[in-house]
Amino acid sequence: MFNDLFLLIFCFELTLYLILWLTVYQNPVKTKLDTAFLLFKSSLPLTMVLFSGVALLAASAGSTHLDSIQHYLSKFNQENSSLLSHSIPALGIVLIVAGIAFRMGAIPLNFNYRVLVKAMPFWMSILFTLLSVCAGSALLVLFVNNIAVSDFAFIEQILFFIALVILATTAGLLLIEKELKVILRLLIMQITGVFFAQLSVTCWKWRHDFFGGDSISILDVMNEFSPICLLSFLAVMGIACLLDSLSSHQSAIMYQNQLQGLIGDQRLLGSAALILLASLMGFPGLSAFRLKWQTTLALFEIHQEHSMTAIATIHRGYLGLAVLMLVSSTIVAFVCAKLMIQISFAKPLARNRIIEQKKMAVFCYCCVIVSLIFNLNMMVKL
């Protein structure tokens, strides 16, 4: 099952449509059927792009089996030099990789979905976003690991450009966005952009035999990277549960200034917010810092030998991506630091705040404890 491209894409699409149905079902809208149909129509073009890529690649290889596709591409690169025939499987790969990225919501295009999510609780909207991102990331790693071949550079290039777009757009939006729900989704997209950059670097290193042997696969490298990424997602989920615990029908938490002076009224909950924000901010040793630090080092490690002087030089494109990652990380740190200052030092807008949903507060504390345990475990291993 996990070695058939069509079945993988079909399961991915089925998962996304199930998430869409749950989103509509849990939303307090009157015309649920019309809303679901509108979201289906708006996402259908991206689905067609994804399946078009599958059709092109499968038609070129004569099979949907990933091993057969990999064997075809390996043989194809050695024997065929025709530009037209070379562009068909390359276009299929580009459409699949780009289709997965857009379909999982890494680059938001479905604005109708964003309007629908605004009426949902924080934890539910963030959970559905994380499920989409994790499903797309898992599919992308499986696809890249199974069909990547030594002379095929299209994958790493499209991953590079997608990471560039995600990091640039989300960093810009974080500077102007005021709604907390959108900010949390943008933080998830930032982490996803770092994931795409790391995957692109891994493909480059694997293609240039940087790992020094065939025993290490792309899947093995990304398995070492994924726990840090999941810890950062857990921190975002913890903040979402914290915001839901303070929300009520009369006074829902929606904007940043509504958290002013939280630690003065709810010391335990305010302390949990500071720990989670410090983790996402990139405090040294914690998950987001390790996530971005490892990726930045990997970007700087890439080098090429100049044809004339044979001197190792840093790849300019990846150098630019590393600089963009540093800039976007600074913006994320600024947004998180601003929230931490408001929680700790700003004059509160409300006194004696009541935790309306205690279950969400307990789940937030659990996220903090799990995050601290795993982060400390990683520090001890180092």
Side-chain angles (χ1 to χ4, degrees):
M1 176 181 178
F2 294 108
N3 213 15
D4 189 278
L5 180 60
F6 180 80
L7 274 178
L8 284 173
I9 299 296
F10 178 77
C11 291
F12 173 63
E13 284 290 334
L14 192 62
T15 301
L16 293 185
Y17 281 117
L18 179 62
I19 293 171
L20 184 147
W21 180 82
L22 289 173
T23 303
V24 176
Y25 180 78
Q26 296 293 334
N27 211 282
V29 292
K30 295 180 179 180
T31 56
K32 293 185 177 181
L33 185 61
D34 293 339
T35 304
F37 187 65
L38 178 62
L39 291 172
F40 172 76
K41 288 195 298 182
S42 58
S43 62
L44 193 59
L46 294 177
T47 302
M48 296 303 297
V49 167
L50 190 54
F51 277 103
S52 297
V54 174
L56 286 174
L57 190 57
S60 300
S63 173
T64 59
H65 202 269
L66 290 172
D67 291 337
S68 301
I69 294 174
Q70 184 183 35
H71 177 72
Y72 164 77
L73 292 175
S74 301
K75 185 179 179 181
F76 176 81
N77 288 328
Q78 297 173 359
E79 298 179 355
N80 206 324
S81 60
S82 172
L83 180 62
L84 180 60
S85 57
H86 190 273
S87 64
I88 294 175
L91 179 60
I93 291 173
V94 169
L95 289 177
I96 291 172
V97 175
I100 293 172
F102 281 96
R103 193 71 182 89
M104 65 194 273
I107 304 174
L109 290 176
N110 197 335
F111 298 104
N112 295 317
Y113 184 80
R114 176 178 172 178
V115 173
L116 184 66
V117 162
K118 284 186 178 181
M120 299 174 63
F122 278 90
W123 74 270
M124 193 175 293
S125 63
I126 297 303
L127 178 62
F128 289 163
T129 302
L130 289 178
L131 288 175
S132 301
V133 168
C134 290
S137 301
L139 173 61
L140 195 58
V141 172
L142 284 173
F143 174 72
V144 170
N145 181 69
N146 280 279
I147 64 99
V149 289
S150 57
D151 296 326
F152 232 70
F154 296 102
I155 299 176
E156 71 196 43
Q157 292 171 7
I158 190 63
L159 288 171
F160 166 82
F161 285 112
I162 291 173
L164 199 70
V165 171
I166 294 173
L167 291 172
T169 53
T170 52
L173 289 172
L174 278 171
L175 287 174
I176 61 175
E177 190 58 57
K178 301 299 181 183
E179 290 188 23
L180 286 168
K181 192 172 291 186
V182 181
I183 288 174
L184 294 183
R185 289 170 62 85
L186 289 174
L187 290 176
I188 293 174
M189 294 306 108
Q190 268 282 317
I191 298 168
T192 309
V194 177
F195 170 83
F196 273 96
Q198 179 68 31
L199 185 56
S200 178
V201 170
T202 303
C203 290
W204 192 96
K205 289 182 176 181
W206 188 87
R207 192 168 64 88
H208 290 82
D209 200 22
F210 195 87
F211 298 112
D214 296 330
S215 58
I216 298 177
S217 66
I218 293 173
L219 185 59
D220 295 330
V221 178
M222 296 309 295
N223 278 339
E224 296 179 1
F225 183 78
S226 57
I228 311 172
C229 193
L230 291 175
L231 276 178
S232 299
F233 286 151
L234 184 66
V236 179
M237 190 66 190
I239 295 175
C241 294
L242 183 147
L243 295 171
D244 275 330
S245 68
L246 294 171
S247 297
S248 64
H249 294 293
Q250 290 78 20
S251 58
I253 304 294
M254 295 180 62
Y255 299 100
Q256 302 176 50
N257 58 1
Q258 292 177 275
L259 293 176
Q260 288 183 190
L262 174 62
I263 200 168
D265 295 323
Q266 295 288 343
R267 295 187 183 277
L268 196 57
L269 206 59
S271 300
L274 293 179
I275 293 172
L276 293 172
L277 287 170
S279 176
L280 291 172
M281 179 182 178
F283 193 84
L286 297 181
S287 56
F289 175 82
R290 291 171 55 83
L291 178 78
K292 295 175 182 178
W293 180 251
Q294 288 184 11
T295 306
T296 304
L297 287 180
L299 289 168
F300 279 114
E301 281 176 359
I302 292 180
H303 61 274
Q304 293 179 339
E305 292 185 356
H306 196 275
S307 58
M308 299 295 293
T309 61
I311 298 177
T313 58
I314 296 176
H315 193 287
R316 292 179 181 178
Y318 284 109
L319 176 62
L321 185 59
V323 173
L324 177 61
M325 186 173 297
L326 292 174
V327 173
S328 64
S329 299
T330 304
I331 293 173
V332 171
F334 170 76
V335 172
C336 293
K338 182 181 176 182
L339 282 171
M340 292 172 71
I341 291 171
Q342 287 181 327
I343 290 171
S344 302
F345 304 110
K347 184 179 179 181
L349 294 179
R351 289 289 184 183
N352 302 318
R353 304 187 203 202
I354 300 173
I355 301 177
E356 297 286 344
Q357 303 180 43
K358 290 182 170 51
K359 291 182 180 179
M360 290 291 102
V362 171
F363 195 86
C364 172
Y365 298 144
C366 292
C367 290
V368 173
I369 294 170
V370 171
S371 179
L372 287 176
I373 290 173
F374 279 94
N375 277 297
L376 289 173
N377 187 33
M378 289 180 181
M379 291 181 194
V380 170
K381 286 182 178 180
L382 288 178

